[in-house]
Amino acid sequence: RKFRYKMALKYGGIYIAYLAVLSLISFKTIDIDPTPFKQKLSYLLPVLILTPMQALSEEIFFRALPARIVFKNNLPKTINEGVALSIMSGMLFVIPHLGNPEVVANSEYIPALAYYFIWGALAMAIGVYTDGFEIPVAIHIANNLYTALLVNYEGGAMPTHALFINRKATPSNWITVVEAIIFFAILFFVAY
């Protein structure tokens, strides 16, 4: 069936609002990025073009393609099938993120791995629950655009000059994992 654009925009907007709230909560560690505006502007077009392509590619590879390989043209119909597919997606999603700074440069890398696993698994679960991948695609694109353009963090995996920079260490602690779980709980509640 066709891609549900209204659904994607709604949930992408919910995710941006959630990220904005998290940024406001940690406002004490957020500063205006000192990079000259002209240099920031030079990043704008590549970020707006390449970031959605990158996130969409990951969603196809880590969620849509595995689901299609295992279940052909349908998504799982039973909880057990959905859980197994979500766990597989979570494990696949961890692999390309093993080289990210929050994993490599952090002596406590377990929370970062848990975050990527949970994000991947729950993104698949919401896709299965809503019978499509509009929500995972939208929130992945929203997440990456928010980080690249609005609030990035020092030493982040996306070396862009966003409007603001979070001086706090790379987000890879258990609080980040809990924030991801809370967000996906919100998604499931709204989708219910």
Side-chain angles (χ1 to χ4, degrees):
R1 69 174 154 65
K2 293 181 179 179
F3 190 84
R4 297 173 286 185
Y5 288 99
K6 286 183 183 179
M7 175 186 268
L9 288 172
K10 174 183 176 179
Y11 287 89
I14 289 170
Y15 196 45
I16 288 174
Y18 184 75
L19 292 172
V21 167
L22 292 179
S23 294
L24 289 172
I25 289 170
S26 32
F27 75 94
K28 290 181 181 179
T29 61
I30 295 176
D31 291 323
I32 294 175
D33 185 309
T35 305
F37 184 73
K38 189 174 181 180
Q39 191 174 349
K40 287 181 187 181
L41 203 54
S42 70
Y43 274 88
L44 185 61
L45 190 58
V47 165
L48 288 174
I49 293 170
L50 298 176
T51 303
M53 289 171 51
Q54 170 267 329
L56 178 61
S57 299
E58 284 189 28
E59 289 306 311
I60 290 170
F61 189 75
F62 299 119
R63 272 167 273 294
L65 191 57
R68 188 167 181 99
I69 289 169
V70 175
F71 295 97
K72 307 296 181 241
N73 291 328
N74 300 309
L75 285 171
K77 300 298 180 209
T78 68
I79 291 174
N80 289 342
E81 290 174 341
V83 168
L85 184 61
S86 294
I87 290 170
M88 180 181 71
S89 179
M91 290 188 305
L92 284 172
F93 196 65
V94 168
I95 294 169
H97 296 94
L98 289 173
N100 283 13
E102 57 269 22
V103 176
V104 176
N106 190 347
S107 61
E108 296 181 28
Y109 59 89
I110 299 297
L113 295 177
Y115 170 81
Y116 286 120
F117 173 78
I118 287 167
W119 213 101
L122 292 179
M124 177 62 89
I126 193 76
V128 168
Y129 183 71
T130 59
D131 195 32
F133 294 102
E134 292 88 352
I135 294 174
V137 166
I139 63 175
H140 199 156
I141 291 171
N143 179 72
N144 290 6
L145 284 175
Y146 186 88
T147 302
L149 295 174
L150 296 175
V151 182
N152 207 337
Y153 51 92
E154 289 181 355
M158 298 176 69
T160 63
H161 296 293
L163 291 177
F164 300 96
I165 188 86
N166 194 335
R167 298 181 321 274
K168 187 172 63 173
T170 305
S172 60
N173 55 37
W174 290 108
I175 292 172
T176 307
V177 173
V178 170
E179 289 170 353
I181 292 169
I182 290 169
F183 173 69
F184 278 98
I186 292 168
L187 283 186
F188 278 97
F189 178 78
V190 173
Y192 182 73

